[in-house]
Amino acid sequence: MKASIQLPGLAHRASRLGTETAFDTLAEVNRLRAQGKDIISFGIGEPDFETPENIVAAAKAALDDGLTRYAPSNGVPELRAAIAKEVAATRGIAVEPDQVVVAPGAKPFILYSIATLVNEGEEVVYPNPGFPIYESVVRWLGAKPVPMPLVEDNDFGCDRDVLASAVTDRTKLIILNSPNNPTGGVLSPEDLEFIADLALRHNCWVLSDEVYSHLVFDGGFASIASVRDMQERTIIMDSFSKSYAMTGWRLGYGVMNAELARLMARIETNVESCTCSFTQAAGIEALTGPQDESRRFAAEFRRRADLTVELLNEIEGIRCVPPHGAFYAFPNVTAACRRLGLTRAEQLAEGLLHEAGVAVLARSCFGSRNNGETQEYVRLSFATSEDTIREGIGRIKRYVEAAR
Ligand code: PLP
């Protein structure tokens, strides 16, 4: 930009928008690979599987049939009906198609929900470490983020005392994410009862990010929307990205009371107009067609979770509690950092990438440190092949243990 040109200033909110640094690491990995470096990536959280063939075929057929025009903002009726049926069956609640909004991914519901439900200055309780977009959007819209710390001692589940002090009459919205990114922690039915009680007592909305609902390793998936009196005040967000290996298709949905559904569809009219028509045809096939591939993905992630944890725990200076869902391991690397003369997980991630050829994400990619948090963590996405997991963790072991 020429120095002589004077441009008007930006909106104040522009500087408050955060980001998802996983995408920066992905760009760095691609840059290093383009230079010929051999990099193993545990960075980005997306399945390494191909989208199942029947789903791809449905999208191709939709294009051949001329499904290339605008669709209704809230989604095509047949897809909304299929989603209503799926969510009713998996959460044990009654869902009508007019309670469903289809969007380009689950992610838009973070913005739609906060914009629809929370005024400037009101508080939003969200998991930390957690998906960074929650805090980013809360700040962007001028609301106040209140972290709900997830701690290793508690298997990264819910610390009820801490949560009870975070949720107050100032809280407008509680964001939940179970199974959790980045920790793999899962909320138990008892946790959900406890949180529901808080939400009812303090009259809060709940945004339940359930994008890993298909990936629970022990026992079934439980949603807060299934807890008595909670469905009306809960927005469920779920997606095709992780369960059907469709991250790039951009297809997700929200389920909520019909009035909220109308308001969120109106945001979509203002921003995107609609979700891509032929992608929605693929979504109908995903939900109504054979489920064997999706089940195979879930079983495979479970096996990889066991392998990843076992290999990480064999490294001196690394300790990893087993995740209960999703496809992430979140090991404690405090002793490994110390061994290497480092003080922070970011330095370890940097060293692993440039000196050992392995990409991981430091804890700081998932929010700032909670009060009193002293340990260092990194996240590994094990949505990659068993051979890659063995080779990548082998590199980490050699790198960490070479230091004395
Ligand atoms: N929520 C969580 C917790 C995630 O980890 C992700 C993706 O990584 C998303 C939402 C976004 O999912 P989608 O691809 O459906 O927008």
Side-chain angles (χ1 to χ4, degrees), residues 116-384:
T116 304
L117 304 172
V118 185
N119 291 307
E120 285 182 30
E122 290 178 336
E123 295 186 1
V124 178
V125 172
Y126 68 100
N128 182 19
F131 190 50
I133 300 305
Y134 311 136
E135 184 181 344
S136 165
V137 175
V138 169
R139 286 192 191 283
W140 194 45
L141 296 181
K144 185 170 174 222
V146 177
M148 173 203 318
L150 303 180
V151 296
E152 184 185 356
D153 286 351
N154 210 354
D155 248 12
F156 298 111
C158 164
D159 184 326
R160 297 189 191 168
D161 292 338
V162 173
L163 183 60
S165 60
V167 178
T168 68
D169 288 343
R170 291 185 301 277
T171 311
K172 191 70 175 292
L173 172 69
I174 301 172
I175 301 179
L176 303 178
N177 174 219
S178 173
N180 174 268
N181 173 11
T183 66
V186 164
L187 296 170
S188 68
E190 296 74 31
D191 291 334
L192 295 175
E193 290 276 350
F194 181 83
I195 298 167
D197 185 57
L198 283 177
L200 290 164
R201 197 146 29 96
H202 295 285
N203 197 21
C204 319
W205 295 102
V206 174
L207 172 61
S208 186
D209 182 344
E210 304 183 357
V211 301
Y212 298 101
S213 61
H214 277 58
L215 303 176
V216 178
F217 301 145
D218 350 270
F221 169 71
S223 168
I224 194 154
S226 321
V227 179
R228 193 172 28 85
D229 297 334
M230 284 306 294
Q231 190 181 348
E232 276 286 299
R233 63 178 62 235
T234 301
I235 296 101
I236 294 174
M237 52 183 261
D238 202 341
S239 169
F240 295 78
S241 291
K242 320 285 176 174
S243 12
Y244 296 97
M246 291 175 70
T247 47
W249 293 69
R250 307 315 300 135
L251 188 63
Y253 54 88
V255 174
M256 62 208 81
N257 75 50
E259 190 196 339
L260 287 186
R262 270 192 300 280
L263 292 170
M264 295 205 197
R266 183 176 288 195
I267 302 184
E268 208 165 327
T269 306
N270 276 263
V271 182
E272 294 102 353
S273 293
C274 66
T275 306
C276 169
S277 312
F278 50 89
T279 298
Q280 295 195 56
I284 295 168
E285 173 61 23
L287 291 182
T288 58
Q291 299 298 305
D292 353 352
E293 279 290 271
S294 175
R295 287 199 199 104
R296 181 176 71 82
F297 299 161
E300 188 58 34
F301 286 134
R302 213 230 125 103
R303 265 192 299 279
R304 293 175 185 180
D306 292 345
L307 176 68
T308 303
V309 170
E310 186 192 319
L311 294 175
L312 285 170
N313 279 325
E314 284 170 4
I315 303 177
E316 282 181 47
I318 294 188
R319 166 179 91 207
C320 186
V321 300
H324 296 289
F327 37 63
Y328 306 110
F330 197 62
N332 183 322
V333 294
T334 316
C337 287
R338 215 175 294 131
R339 196 180 168 107
L340 288 154
L342 308 173
T343 51
R344 297 191 329 271
E346 293 94 299
Q347 298 166 310
L348 177 64
E350 190 72 14
L352 284 172
L353 181 58
H354 294 284
E355 293 167 43
V358 184
V360 300
L361 299 181
R363 188 260 184 263
S364 53
C365 298
F366 305 97
S368 20
R369 225 175 256 274
N370 291 306
N371 283 340
E373 185 179 322
T374 56
Q375 302 292 292
E376 299 296 321
Y377 299 90
V378 294
R379 187 195 81 174
L380 281 78
S381 161
F382 49 79
T384 185

